Amino acid sequence: MTEAFEAQRDRLHAVAYRVLGSHADAEDVVQEAWMRLVRQDESTIANLAGWLTTVVGRISLDVLRSRQAHPEAAYGQQYADLVVTPADDPAPDEQAVLADPVGLAPPTPPR
């Protein structure tokens, strides 16, 4: 059974990768399929390739459903709300200039 599984491993990984888009997740799915195969009675499997493809497909769909229930934020997205952006109000130095009244300069002292 091990040899038959190893012969299918690359194809199963490709199927899982096409569904999930992640090599790490695809490898996890293939490992889970192997664990289910080990627990299964060999005599009940008529078509090993078909059985493995079905199991990998179902596990991959479960992983996708799990992602939708717990969406992952892209790197840096968790801090997007903390970014300070300029307000529409004038900056503090501009406020100081606007607050200082414009007037005549004081007379210069005589020499």
Side-chain angles (χ1 to χ4, degrees):
M1 183 177 358
T2 302
E3 293 172 4
F5 178 81
E6 288 301 323
Q8 299 288 323
R9 180 182 281 280
D10 290 340
R11 186 181 61 77
L12 297 173
H13 185 276
V15 168
Y17 177 72
R18 285 185 199 117
V19 173
L20 300 171
S22 165
H23 287 290
D25 288 343
E27 188 59 36
D28 290 345
V29 166
V30 172
Q31 285 300 109
E32 178 64 27
W34 166 249
M35 296 304 294
R36 291 185 186 188
L37 178 62
V38 169
R39 292 181 296 215
Q40 187 70 29
D41 181 17
E42 288 182 52
S43 63
T44 61
I45 302 173
N47 179 357
L48 181 63
W51 188 89
L52 286 170
T53 303
T54 301
V55 169
V56 165
R58 289 179 181 171
I59 296 171
S60 297
L61 291 174
D62 289 344
V63 170
L64 282 179
R65 286 186 194 109
S66 173
R67 282 185 189 169
Q68 289 175 355
H70 307 287
E72 297 178 9
Y75 179 75
Q77 289 297 326
Q78 66 267 28
Y79 301 114
D81 295 336
L82 302 177
V83 175
V84 177
T85 57
D88 292 337
D89 298 332
D93 59 337
E94 293 171 348
Q95 288 177 355
V97 169
L98 292 174
D100 188 25
V102 177
L104 295 175
T108 55
R111 293 186 186 188

